Amino acid sequence: MSLTSDEVRSIARLARLAISDQDIPRYADNLSRILDFVAQLDKAETASVAPMAHPLDMSQQLRADVVTETNQRELFQKNAPQVEAGLYLVPKVIE
Amino acid sequence: MQWETVIGLEIHAQLLTKSKIFSAASTAFGAPPNTQACLVDLGYPGVLPVLNKEAVRMAVKFGLAVGAGIAPRSVFARKNYFYPDLPKGYQISQYELPVVGRGSVEIELEDGSSRRIGITRAHLEEDAGKSLHEGFEGISGIDLNRAGTPLLEIVSEPDMRSAKEAVAYMKKIHSLVRYLEICDGNLQEGSFRCDANVSVRRQGEQKFGTRAELKNINSFHFVEKAILYEVQRQIDVIEGGGKVVQETRLYDSKKNQTRSMRSKEEANDYRYFPDPDLLPLEIAESFVTEVRKTLPELPDEKKQRFMRAYGLSAYDAALLTASRELADYYETLVQAVGGEAKLCANWVMGELSAALNQNNQDIAQSPVTAVMLAGLLKRILDNTLSGKLAKEVFEAMWAGEGNADAVIENKGLKQITDSSAIEKIIDGIMVANPQQLSDYRAGKDKLFAFFVGQVMKATQGKANPQQVNELLKRKLTG
Amino acid sequence: MHTKTLAQLARDLKARKLSSEELTRSYLARIERFNPQLNAFITVLQEEALVAARAADARIKRGDVGVLTGVPLAHKDIFCTAGVKTSCGSKMLDNFVSPYDATVVERLRQAGMVLLGKTNMDEFAMGSSNETSFYGPVKNPWDPTRVPGGSSGGSAAAVAARLAPAATGTDTGGSIRQPAALTGLTGIKPTYGRVSRYGIIAFASSLDQAGVITYTAEDAALLLGAMAGFDPRDSTSVDRPVPDYTAALEHPLKGLRIGLPKEFFDQGLDGRVGAAVHAALTIYKKLGAEVRDISLPNFWLSVPTYYVVAPAECSSNLSRFDGVRFGHRCESPVDLLDLYTRSRGEGFGAEVKRRIMTGTYVLSAGYYDAYYLKAQKTRTLIRQDFIAAFENVDVIMGPATPTPAFGLGEKTEDPITMYLNDIYANGVNLAGLPGISIPMGFVDKLPVGLQIIGNYFDEARLLCAAHQYQRETDWHGQIPKGFQ
């Protein structure tokens, strides 16, 4: 398994990560090695094995439909890089 | 070339829970921005979702109402994509194992026929926030109050063959969720939204054509227009030698056209996988049984009962049972009038609906209550009012001038049913119009209407039309 | 005082032999003196700690006292602490002040514990050496040219150097047990679901679990008793009573069946570490335990499975760091894509990016089945091995790490070599089992750890087994030179 530079770029784009051109080869090499390493899994016989998403065989607990949260916008927006009129600001969203 | 349209709808119904699907923040509409977005809704680091029981109950209720299987075990999955109104960078939804399985609904068409439309599935998911573009130059403002509001996404089979059918289906689901009291159905506020998958194929072709997904259709009217536009666009593309591409298109109601969505241009790779913060949702048979007990009489059942009990046509019954409030209004009316189901139906579907539509009002807001309307219909039945006068009275009642009797009294609209009085008026008219009289008698039958008009004019429309007809016929013939 | 265990300090406080303020001042002084050379803390809460200590003293005076009232501790900087910077070792959250407390933080605060500060860690807990931290590497108090392990490296170094009597940690693939082993401490990772994850900045949600790094099993029992238990805010936390871990410490070990998986002693293990395990087993036998050879035939799958599951979950968990509501935002983004890619590109370090990209890849269309679904299946195999083993044994023992602490910079070039350092740890997280690492001797004057793996919710037995061993040995009592 060897990832090309273009493949790395497209993964980075999907993950919304800016990677500089000079770093691309290193990521390509690292990721290729990781993927080679995990490709060992191919050797395991799993045809009749059920996939496991959780360590515990439990089911989802359910919450009563009660509103307990109050407005804490001011507190929560202290961490926000850019707000105005209570809104989080971002460069224009084009639909 | 004959083209066939194939439509499937994805309807998003916001569930009427008090709190959000995974947090305890309020779902109320219209609060100042971000005042109802708690840590979970904001996707703060470290916080976790916990599922709202009421949202599950409502999904089950819907499933039962469309005859679908309720999955004993369903799974929440993450749909990963970046968008500013999606705080976590993923939407919690259900993918491979939805809570509601296959079901169906029956839709009635204007020609009186009906069709069964398959429902592929319905699943629970969280709503996103909103991007606001007004007031800022080159910037969008994000309000996350809506983020985390529970949604039931109802996915239909590609069973609809025309825009009209799509509208009928959408209305049907709209009516159903409101009957079930699981969604307020408010299209303006976005609590009931629809995406349409539209494709065309040549008549007789088995394979589906390439579809476009139309987004942002927020009224019944626009669903029809958006589909009609899109169908024509696709036909033009194909007939022009082109190919329809699979894409997401936005309906612009101002321009009445659809356009490709730039933000969705990039091939979507949502990387769905089971959400490790949530465990499988297990629904016991006992829970389903409990929910089943809470089901109200559903539109189809009500429709059947209306046809049986009131002798209504399928079409009328379907219209009258389209909403629970309308059906209740009708039944109150029939009871107050003491029968005359057909007359009642005509008035509800006629004058009343027209007035409501014209004023963009809901049946619940009608200034003319069922009891008031019954008062009016009784005056028709006892011949106090002619149909025409009754309409005038209705308008006055709508305008708030009191009940039927008060309006009749105040306006002196009582019908003239005294034969001798009407005869006298006819005599006068015959004398005043000798030429017309002789022409009529010479065989110009059309002039009969002229005399009716004259009588009505003379009585300001108050003469009983049936009597006028009879008396005129007798007198004119001489 | 700093040479005492947490349990001893708690007793002294209760007996009013010393005040929480005195104790807190003494630790703060040590932090001030030693932290510059170790880099174990990201944030030190000088004033807040003293305020809390005085409040604790007042409580003690009133007689309103719990076992842990007035005892200082440090939290790994992955736990959200209200009003305090919570960085997760990342530039992304360098400016982040949490508006709320994690459940663990809340519970220990309510127990009257005094928070000294927030400890350094691998960025977003992704690392086994503490070298991926935005705040620089942490030094191992036993040898400053070596790593303390990771990702809870700051917690381990702080406790080992006696800058705090205990510290919390999180363990996704060994992040408590491995640093505890490499710094001569006791580190427990409870059963998945035993401790609430609410307020712990998520790395891999189906693997993350909070625990503690302490001197002794007795200390760990005290803390775990206060931290554990159902939390309605965490859907994956388990609603099941928390046993009295302290009371269970004294149960005799006679008849304890210890499983020794042959796969743990294959190539890759430093023979001297293997010998230390066998020496520890001799003591257990003396205590009446019985050692059985067992096999975990799918053990070889654990690291590759882990490096599909953990990155997959992390790639999604870290999507929320987008420069919109909190965290790093790049300068003057030209458009939305630029805002996202640059904020994230600048805010995350290389290892985090590698894992996000690995995770993105294994979940993407066309690769999901081959990687992610496959790993979910091999995860089942790994769990089945453990379940089968626990039909015949009560605990499983083996080395915590293949070698003692390695040198700073020694494994940063090749991610795979680094990953293999957690070879004995990963499978335990994948299965969701509890595991503890306790000091079992020295190799090259560096501490090495014995890992004890238990059945689901069998923390009491692990702590008991660790405690009984610690009564027979004094490896856990050793203090690195220069920090006595």
Side-chain angles (χ1 to χ4, degrees):
Chain A
M1 184 78 220
S2 184
L3 288 181
T4 64
S5 293
D6 279 345
E7 282 171 311
V8 173
R9 281 193 192 90
S10 91
I11 300 166
R13 156 127 187 165
L14 195 53
R16 299 295 187 266
L17 292 169
I19 308 275
S20 70
D21 280 345
Q22 64 175 50
D23 287 341
I24 293 279
R26 195 164 56 90
Y27 279 106
D29 171 66
N30 285 167
L31 294 178
S32 301
R33 281 155 80 169
I34 293 167
L35 292 173
D36 272 341
F37 176 73
V38 302
Q40 287 180 70
L41 297 180
D42 288 346
K43 287 184 256 165
E45 175 52 50
T46 54
S48 56
V49 182
M52 168 180 164
H54 277 286
L56 303 174
D57 297 317
M58 298 196 311
S59 61
Q60 179 59 34
Q61 46 156 317
L62 300 173
R63 211 188 79 235
D65 182 25
V66 183
V67 175
T68 55
E69 295 288 346
T70 53
N71 173 22
Q72 295 194 72
R73 183 174 81 185
E74 208 177 316
L75 174 66
F76 298 161
Q77 291 195 337
K78 276 187 187 159
N79 282 309
Q82 209 187 349
V83 285
E84 201 179 306
L87 297 163
Y88 295 94
L89 301 190
V90 295
K92 196 167 183 73
V93 177
I94 298 156
E95 284 176 332
Chain B
M1 176 65 61
Q2 282 294 305
W3 294 94
E4 184 177 48
T5 304
V6 176
I7 305 159
L9 297 187
E10 286 167 20
I11 289 173
H12 289 84
Q14 278 185 351
L15 297 176
L16 269 176
T17 55
K18 294 185 196 75
S19 65
K20 294 189 176 170
I21 184 166
F22 298 120
S23 84
S26 170
T27 54
F29 180 82
N34 293 309
T35 55
Q36 284 174 183
C38 72
L39 293 170
V40 172
D41 309 326
L42 293 171
Y44 247 72
V47 295
L48 299 167
V50 186
L51 184 58
N52 186 336
K53 185 174 186 177
E54 193 59 16
V56 175
R57 205 183 61 77
M58 289 177 171
V60 170
K61 211 170 172 187
F62 177 81
L64 293 175
V66 298
I70 305 302
R73 184 175 179 278
S74 64
V75 169
F76 286 94
R78 293 184 183 178
K79 180 182 185 180
N80 294 283
Y81 64 97
F82 287 88
Y83 213 62
D85 64 12
L86 188 72
K88 296 185 296 298
Y90 58 83
Q91 178 194 32
I92 305 178
S93 181
Q94 297 191 299
Y95 185 53
E96 282 177 336
L97 298 169
V99 60
V100 173
R102 224 164 244 285
S104 67
V105 290
E106 194 151 287
I107 57 168
E108 285 77 25
L109 302 167
E110 277 171 34
D111 63 7
S113 67
S114 66
R115 282 200 60 199
R116 191 149 279 279
I117 305 296
I119 288 171
T120 316
R121 59 184 280 168
H123 65 255
L124 283 166
E125 62 182 27
E126 56 179 345
D127 207 345
K130 282 179 188 165
S131 305
L132 308 168
H133 314 300
E134 268 106 72
F136 303 107
E137 187 64 33
I139 283 178
S140 293
I142 309 299
D143 174 10
L144 297 170
N145 280 348
R146 195 179 71 175
T149 299
L151 289 178
L152 187 66
E153 177 171 335
I154 304 156
V155 182
S156 84
E157 291 285 298
D159 281 353
M160 287 150 276
R161 293 291 173 270
S162 69
K164 286 230 182 311
E165 287 185 14
V167 174
Y169 167 79
M170 188 178 167
K171 283 188 170 161
K172 183 74 188 209
I173 298 292
H174 185 256
S175 140
L176 199 56
V177 296
R178 294 186 65 232
Y179 260 80
L180 296 169
E181 294 176 320
I182 61 171
C183 174
D184 68 14
N186 190 324
L187 285 99
Q188 267 109 44
E189 289 176 4
S191 15
F192 190 86
R193 313 196 289 269
C194 179
D195 298 339
N197 288 308
V198 179
S199 64
V200 297
R201 61 178 172 190
R202 289 186 165 82
Q203 203 73 256
E205 177 80 53
Q206 285 302 303
K207 248 180 69 190
F208 290 135
T210 307
R211 68 193 156 91
E213 186 181 355
L214 308 184
K215 292 242 179 231
N216 197 31
I217 333 181
N218 55 9
S219 84
F220 297 120
H221 181 59
F222 291 154
V223 166
E224 186 168 357
K225 291 184 79 165
I227 292 172
L228 288 175
Y229 173 87
E230 179 61 19
V231 165
Q232 196 51 54
R233 187 191 71 84
Q234 292 186 10
I235 293 172
D236 291 348
V237 166
I238 301 169
E239 289 183 342
K243 262 192 176 158
V244 174
V245 285
Q246 184 165 340
E247 62 180 348
T248 305
R249 298 180 67 85
L250 196 69
Y251 177 66
D252 183 336
S253 58
K254 284 186 194 116
K255 295 184 189 153
N256 185 31
Q257 36 180 248
T258 65
R259 66 177 161 84
S260 190
M261 274 177 92
R262 263 176 70 180
S263 59
K264 308 265 174 177
E265 255 172 34
E266 191 175 52
N268 286 325
D269 188 345
Y270 292 127
R271 290 159 286 138
Y272 280 101
F273 75 107
D275 190 332
D277 287 332
L278 291 159
L279 297 161
L281 171 61
E282 284 178 5
I283 297 178
E285 194 48 49
S286 58
F287 183 80
V288 176
T289 309
E290 211 177 288
V291 176
R292 199 186 293 276
K293 283 186 202 146
T294 67
L295 284 182
E297 185 187 24
L298 296 172
D300 286 348
E301 294 162 17
K302 215 184 257 292
K303 184 188 119 189
Q304 293 303 327
R305 181 167 63 79
F306 274 28
M307 288 167 67
R308 273 196 320 272
Y310 305 122
L312 300 174
S313 71
Y315 186 76
D316 288 357
L319 271 184
L320 287 170
T321 53
S323 88
R324 205 159 152 176
E325 293 85 352
L326 188 67
D328 288 349
Y329 187 103
Y330 174 72
E331 293 206 275
T332 313
L333 179 64
V334 174
Q335 204 171 23
V337 172
E340 299 295 337
K342 183 64 191 163
L343 177 73
C344 293
N346 288 344
W347 271 82
V348 171
M349 291 183 299
E351 290 309 298
L352 181 70
S353 293
L356 289 170
N357 275 344
Q358 204 165 27
N359 295 286
N360 209 3
Q361 274 174 323
D362 209 67
I363 184 80
Q365 302 163 298
S366 171
V368 178
T369 65
V371 174
M372 284 167 75
L373 185 56
L376 174 63
L377 300 195
K378 279 184 191 158
R379 293 298 156 263
I380 299 175
L381 292 167
D382 68 8
N383 275 330
T384 309
L385 294 173
S386 66
K388 186 158 170 283
L389 283 181
K391 283 177 189 171
E392 211 179 318
V393 175
F394 178 83
E395 273 164 34
M397 286 164 69
W398 185 273
E401 292 173 28
N403 65 25
D405 288 341
V407 174
I408 292 166
E409 186 62 38
N410 292 343
K411 297 204 162 183
L413 290 177
K414 215 164 169 168
Q415 186 168 244
I416 301 168
T417 48
D418 178 352
S419 299
S420 60
I422 297 174
E423 273 184 72
K424 245 182 233 163
I425 292 165
I426 292 176
D427 291 342
I429 288 170
M430 284 165 67
V431 170
N433 299 284
Q435 184 61 48
Q436 279 84 347
L437 182 64
S438 65
D439 287 355
Y440 177 80
R441 287 190 171 150
K444 218 169 170 190
D445 289 350
K446 274 188 195 161
L447 279 169
F448 188 76
F450 164 79
F451 287 101
V452 172
Q454 290 300 311
V455 177
M456 284 305 176
K457 198 173 161 192
T459 60
Q460 293 163 300
K462 282 185 273 184
N464 180 304
Q466 237 170 331
Q467 283 174 298
V468 172
N469 274 341
E470 280 164 24
L471 292 171
L472 264 179
K473 255 183 206 148
R474 212 175 63 219
K475 292 209 162 252
L476 292 178
T477 332
Chain C
M1 337 178 204
H2 63 268
T3 57
K4 292 190 170 172
T5 68
L6 177 132
Q8 286 164 343
L9 292 172
R11 282 192 284 271
D12 287 356
L13 282 164
K14 203 171 184 180
R16 295 168 70 177
K17 283 186 196 162
L18 81 169
S19 72
S20 176
E21 183 171 354
E22 267 176 278
L23 188 60
T24 303
R25 278 189 193 284
S26 134
Y27 278 115
L28 287 170
R30 286 184 67 81
I31 292 171
E32 195 170 1
R33 177 164 161 219
F34 293 111
N35 192 51
Q37 70 196 69
L38 293 174
N39 197 27
F41 282 85
I42 291 173
T43 302
V44 180
L45 298 166
Q46 196 94 27
E47 283 161 34
E48 295 90 331
L50 287 171
V51 170
R54 283 184 211 113
D57 283 333
R59 271 180 73 175
I60 294 169
K61 230 179 225 167
R62 287 200 307 270
D64 165 25
V65 62
V67 223
L68 294 167
T69 311
V71 180
L73 97 160
H75 282 309
K76 184 178 183 179
D77 210 18
I78 198 169
F79 290 88
C80 283
T81 39
V84 172
K85 167 169 154 178
T86 300
S87 74
C88 221
S90 181
K91 179 182 177 183
M92 181 58 86
L93 291 178
D94 185 42
N95 58 3
F96 180 73
V97 176
S98 174
Y100 76 107
D101 272 337
T103 297
V104 164
V105 172
E106 189 183 271
R107 289 190 178 173
L108 295 181
R109 197 192 294 283
Q110 275 163 5
M113 295 195 82
V114 173
L115 180 58
L116 295 167
K118 307 286 297 285
T119 59
N120 203 342
M121 56 181 285
D122 279 300
E123 185 180 12
F124 283 100
M126 296 173 201
S128 310
S129 67
N130 223 297
E131 292 165 294
T132 72
S133 170
F134 171 63
Y135 300 93
V138 177
K139 312 282 166 58
N140 189 325
W142 292 93
D143 176 350
T145 68
R146 291 174 189 270
V147 304
S151 65
S152 311
S155 287
V159 178
R162 271 61 185 173
L163 309 188
T168 53
T170 55
D171 190 317
T172 305
S175 281
I176 288 175
R177 292 160 289 155
Q178 183 253 18
L182 302 191
T183 56
L185 297 168
T186 300
I188 184 164
K189 177 206 99 74
T191 308
Y192 181 84
R194 179 75 286 186
V195 176
S196 167
R197 293 188 297 114
Y198 184 81
I200 297 169
I201 299 177
F203 159 16
S205 312
S206 78
L207 302 163
D208 295 346
Q209 183 60 196
V212 285
I213 296 177
T214 56
Y215 302 117
T216 65
E218 187 190 11
D219 294 352
L222 280 175
L223 287 170
L224 189 60
M227 286 162 65
F230 176 66
D231 179 0
R233 290 175 295 189
D234 175 2
S235 299
T236 61
S237 92
V238 179
D239 195 354
R240 177 186 174 117
V242 179
D244 183 341
Y245 295 124
T246 306
L249 295 174
E250 303 304 333
H251 287 177
L253 288 189
K254 195 162 167 36
L256 181 79
R257 297 168 302 166
I258 299 172
L260 199 63
K262 63 173 197 281
E263 292 81 5
F264 284 7
F265 297 86
D266 279 356
Q267 51 172 359
L269 176 68
D270 182 326
R272 297 166 300 174
V273 177
V277 173
H278 283 102
L281 290 171
T282 311
I283 291 175
Y284 275 104
K285 282 182 201 158
K286 222 165 56 187
L287 289 167
E290 174 201 335
V291 177
R292 295 184 179 184
D293 289 325
I294 60 164
S295 173
L296 300 171
N298 293 294
F299 170 72
W300 63 280
L301 291 168
S302 53
V303 184
T305 301
Y306 180 86
Y307 280 96
V308 172
V309 173
E313 292 184 15
C314 108
S315 71
S316 174
N317 281 335
L318 269 58
S319 292
R320 68 190 62 205
F321 301 103
D322 58 5
V324 177
R325 285 146 290 117
F326 41 74
H328 179 74
R329 183 191 190 112
C330 65
E331 288 287 331
S332 331
V334 297
D335 58 23
L336 208 48
L337 185 66
D338 187 43
L339 168 72
Y340 286 148
T341 56
R342 266 202 301 133
S343 298
R344 291 166 59 78
E346 294 164 7
F348 293 137
E351 178 63 19
V352 171
K353 284 185 222 169
R354 259 198 295 272
R355 297 212 195 179
I356 291 176
M357 287 197 276
T358 305
T360 302
Y361 184 83
V362 299
L363 287 176
S364 63
Y367 300 101
Y368 183 91
D369 287 1
Y371 290 97
Y372 185 72
L373 189 62
K374 182 77 182 182
Q376 278 195 311
K377 291 178 176 174
T378 52
R379 189 175 180 181
T380 302
L381 294 175
I382 292 161
R383 177 171 62 169
Q384 283 170 352
D385 274 6
F386 280 110
I387 289 171
F390 281 119
E391 282 173 14
N392 300 307
V393 300
D394 301 309
V395 295
I396 293 168
M397 289 193 188
T401 60
T403 63
F406 48 92
L408 283 158
E410 198 182 307
K411 300 191 178 189
T412 41
E413 276 312 297
D414 180 14
I416 304 298
T417 341
M418 184 69 92
Y419 296 170
L420 286 171
N421 207 254
D422 283 316
I423 186 163
Y424 308 118
N426 289 168
V428 178
N429 298 80
L430 289 164
L433 294 164
I436 190 170
S437 173
I438 55 173
M440 62 163 183
F442 289 83
V443 167
D444 285 340
K445 295 181 183 163
L446 294 164
V448 286
L450 173 73
Q451 179 175 222
I452 315 174
I453 303 163
N455 209 336
Y456 293 102
F457 300 100
D458 215 1
E459 287 81 4
R461 197 194 299 266
L462 290 191
L463 289 163
C464 170
H467 178 69
Q468 301 285 323
Y469 175 84
Q470 289 178 339
R471 286 216 305 211
E472 300 295 316
T473 57
D474 192 31
W475 305 118
H476 60 282
Q478 306 301 307
I479 301 175
K481 239 200 298 187
F483 298 96
Q484 276 100 346

CSV table of all heavy atoms in Angstrom, one decimal, chain B residues 264-283:
chain,number,residue,atom,x,y,z
B,264,LYS,N,-22.4,21.6,-2.4
B,264,LYS,CA,-22.4,20.2,-2.4
B,264,LYS,C,-21.7,19.6,-3.6
B,264,LYS,O,-21.9,18.4,-3.9
B,264,LYS,CB,-23.9,19.7,-2.4
B,264,LYS,CG,-24.8,20.3,-1.3
B,264,LYS,CD,-24.8,19.4,-0.1
B,264,LYS,CE,-25.6,20.1,1.0
B,264,LYS,NZ,-25.8,19.2,2.1
B,265,GLU,N,-21.0,20.5,-4.3
B,265,GLU,CA,-20.3,20.0,-5.5
B,265,GLU,C,-19.3,18.9,-5.3
B,265,GLU,O,-19.3,18.0,-6.0
B,265,GLU,CB,-19.5,21.2,-6.1
B,265,GLU,CG,-20.2,21.8,-7.3
B,265,GLU,CD,-19.5,23.1,-7.8
B,265,GLU,OE1,-18.3,23.1,-7.6
B,265,GLU,OE2,-20.2,24.0,-8.3
B,266,GLU,N,-18.6,19.0,-4.2
B,266,GLU,CA,-17.6,18.0,-3.9
B,266,GLU,C,-18.3,16.7,-3.6
B,266,GLU,O,-19.3,16.7,-2.9
B,266,GLU,CB,-16.8,18.4,-2.6
B,266,GLU,CG,-15.6,17.6,-2.4
B,266,GLU,CD,-14.8,18.1,-1.2
B,266,GLU,OE1,-15.4,18.3,-0.1
B,266,GLU,OE2,-13.6,18.3,-1.4
B,267,ALA,N,-17.8,15.7,-4.2
B,267,ALA,CA,-18.4,14.4,-4.1
B,267,ALA,C,-18.6,14.1,-2.6
B,267,ALA,O,-17.6,14.2,-1.8
B,267,ALA,CB,-17.5,13.3,-4.7
B,268,ASN,N,-19.8,13.7,-2.2
B,268,ASN,CA,-20.0,13.5,-0.8
B,268,ASN,C,-19.5,12.2,-0.3
B,268,ASN,O,-19.7,11.2,-0.9
B,268,ASN,CB,-21.5,13.6,-0.5
B,268,ASN,CG,-22.0,15.0,-0.5
B,268,ASN,OD1,-21.3,15.9,-0.1
B,268,ASN,ND2,-23.2,15.2,-1.0
B,269,ASP,N,-18.7,12.2,0.7
B,269,ASP,CA,-18.2,11.0,1.3
B,269,ASP,C,-18.4,11.2,2.8
B,269,ASP,O,-17.6,11.7,3.5
B,269,ASP,CB,-16.7,10.8,1.0
B,269,ASP,CG,-16.2,9.5,1.4
B,269,ASP,OD1,-16.9,8.8,2.2
B,269,ASP,OD2,-15.1,9.0,1.0
B,270,TYR,N,-19.6,10.8,3.2
B,270,TYR,CA,-20.0,11.1,4.6
B,270,TYR,C,-19.4,10.2,5.7
B,270,TYR,O,-19.5,10.4,6.8
B,270,TYR,CB,-21.5,11.0,4.7
B,270,TYR,CG,-22.2,12.1,3.9
B,270,TYR,CD1,-23.2,11.7,3.0
B,270,TYR,CD2,-21.9,13.4,4.2
B,270,TYR,CE1,-23.9,12.7,2.3
B,270,TYR,CE2,-22.6,14.4,3.5
B,270,TYR,CZ,-23.6,14.1,2.6
B,270,TYR,OH,-24.2,15.1,1.9
B,271,ARG,N,-18.7,9.2,5.3
B,271,ARG,CA,-18.0,8.3,6.2
B,271,ARG,C,-18.9,7.9,7.4
B,271,ARG,O,-18.5,8.1,8.6
B,271,ARG,CB,-16.7,9.0,6.7
B,271,ARG,CG,-15.6,9.1,5.6
B,271,ARG,CD,-14.6,10.1,5.9
B,271,ARG,NE,-15.2,11.5,5.7
B,271,ARG,CZ,-14.9,12.5,6.4
B,271,ARG,NH1,-14.2,12.4,7.5
B,271,ARG,NH2,-15.5,13.7,6.1
B,272,TYR,N,-20.0,7.4,7.1
B,272,TYR,CA,-20.9,6.9,8.2
B,272,TYR,C,-20.3,5.8,9.0
B,272,TYR,O,-19.6,5.0,8.4
B,272,TYR,CB,-22.2,6.3,7.5
B,272,TYR,CG,-23.2,7.2,7.0
B,272,TYR,CD1,-23.4,7.6,5.7
B,272,TYR,CD2,-24.2,7.8,7.9
B,272,TYR,CE1,-24.4,8.4,5.3
B,272,TYR,CE2,-25.2,8.6,7.5
B,272,TYR,CZ,-25.3,8.9,6.2
B,272,TYR,OH,-26.3,9.7,5.7
B,273,PHE,N,-20.4,5.9,10.3
B,273,PHE,CA,-20.0,4.8,11.1
B,273,PHE,C,-20.8,4.9,12.4
B,273,PHE,O,-21.3,5.9,12.7
B,273,PHE,CB,-18.5,4.7,11.3
B,273,PHE,CG,-18.0,5.7,12.3
B,273,PHE,CD1,-17.5,5.4,13.6
B,273,PHE,CD2,-17.9,7.1,12.0
B,273,PHE,CE1,-17.0,6.3,14.5
B,273,PHE,CE2,-17.4,8.0,12.9
B,273,PHE,CZ,-17.0,7.6,14.1
B,274,PRO,N,-21.0,3.7,13.1
B,274,PRO,CA,-21.8,3.8,14.3
B,274,PRO,C,-21.3,4.8,15.3
B,274,PRO,O,-20.1,4.8,15.6
B,274,PRO,CB,-21.7,2.3,14.9
B,274,PRO,CG,-20.9,1.5,13.9
B,274,PRO,CD,-20.4,2.4,12.8
B,275,ASP,N,-22.2,5.6,15.9
B,275,ASP,CA,-21.7,6.6,16.8
B,275,ASP,C,-21.3,5.9,18.1
B,275,ASP,O,-22.1,5.3,18.8
B,275,ASP,CB,-22.8,7.6,17.1
B,275,ASP,CG,-22.3,8.8,17.9
B,275,ASP,OD1,-21.3,8.6,18.7
B,275,ASP,OD2,-22.8,9.9,17.8
B,276,PRO,N,-20.0,6.0,18.5
B,276,PRO,CA,-19.5,5.3,19.7
B,276,PRO,C,-20.0,5.9,21.0
B,276,PRO,O,-19.9,5.3,22.0
B,276,PRO,CB,-18.0,5.3,19.6
B,276,PRO,CG,-17.7,6.4,18.7
B,276,PRO,CD,-18.9,6.6,17.8
B,277,ASP,N,-20.6,7.1,20.9
B,277,ASP,CA,-21.1,7.7,22.1
B,277,ASP,C,-22.5,7.3,22.5
B,277,ASP,O,-23.0,7.6,23.5
B,277,ASP,CB,-21.1,9.3,21.9
B,277,ASP,CG,-19.7,9.9,22.0
B,277,ASP,OD1,-18.9,9.3,22.6
B,277,ASP,OD2,-19.5,10.9,21.3
B,278,LEU,N,-23.1,6.6,21.5
B,278,LEU,CA,-24.5,6.1,21.8
B,278,LEU,C,-24.5,4.6,21.6
B,278,LEU,O,-23.9,4.0,20.7
B,278,LEU,CB,-25.4,6.8,20.8
B,278,LEU,CG,-25.7,8.3,21.0
B,278,LEU,CD1,-26.2,8.9,19.7
B,278,LEU,CD2,-26.6,8.5,22.2
B,279,LEU,N,-25.3,4.0,22.4
B,279,LEU,CA,-25.4,2.5,22.3
B,279,LEU,C,-26.6,2.2,21.4
B,279,LEU,O,-27.5,3.0,21.1
B,279,LEU,CB,-25.6,1.9,23.7
B,279,LEU,CG,-24.4,2.2,24.6
B,279,LEU,CD1,-24.7,2.1,26.1
B,279,LEU,CD2,-23.2,1.3,24.2
B,280,PRO,N,-26.7,0.9,21.0
B,280,PRO,CA,-27.9,0.5,20.2
B,280,PRO,C,-29.2,0.8,20.9
B,280,PRO,O,-29.3,0.6,22.1
B,280,PRO,CB,-27.7,-1.0,20.0
B,280,PRO,CG,-26.2,-1.2,20.1
B,280,PRO,CD,-25.8,-0.2,21.2
B,281,LEU,N,-30.2,1.4,20.1
B,281,LEU,CA,-31.5,1.7,20.7
B,281,LEU,C,-32.3,0.4,20.7
B,281,LEU,O,-32.6,-0.1,19.6
B,281,LEU,CB,-32.1,2.8,19.9
B,281,LEU,CG,-33.6,3.1,20.2
B,281,LEU,CD1,-33.8,3.6,21.6
B,281,LEU,CD2,-34.1,4.1,19.2
B,282,GLU,N,-32.7,-0.1,21.8
B,282,GLU,CA,-33.5,-1.3,21.9
B,282,GLU,C,-34.9,-0.9,22.3
B,282,GLU,O,-35.1,-0.3,23.3
B,282,GLU,CB,-32.8,-2.3,22.8
B,282,GLU,CG,-31.6,-3.0,22.1
B,282,GLU,CD,-30.9,-4.0,23.0
B,282,GLU,OE1,-31.4,-4.3,24.1
B,282,GLU,OE2,-29.8,-4.5,22.5
B,283,ILE,N,-35.9,-1.4,21.5
B,283,ILE,CA,-37.2,-1.1,21.8
B,283,ILE,C,-38.0,-2.3,22.0
B,283,ILE,O,-38.1,-3.2,21.2
B,283,ILE,CB,-37.9,-0.3,20.6
B,283,ILE,CG1,-37.1,1.0,20.4
B,283,ILE,CG2,-39.4,-0.1,20.8
B,283,ILE,CD1,-37.6,1.9,19.2
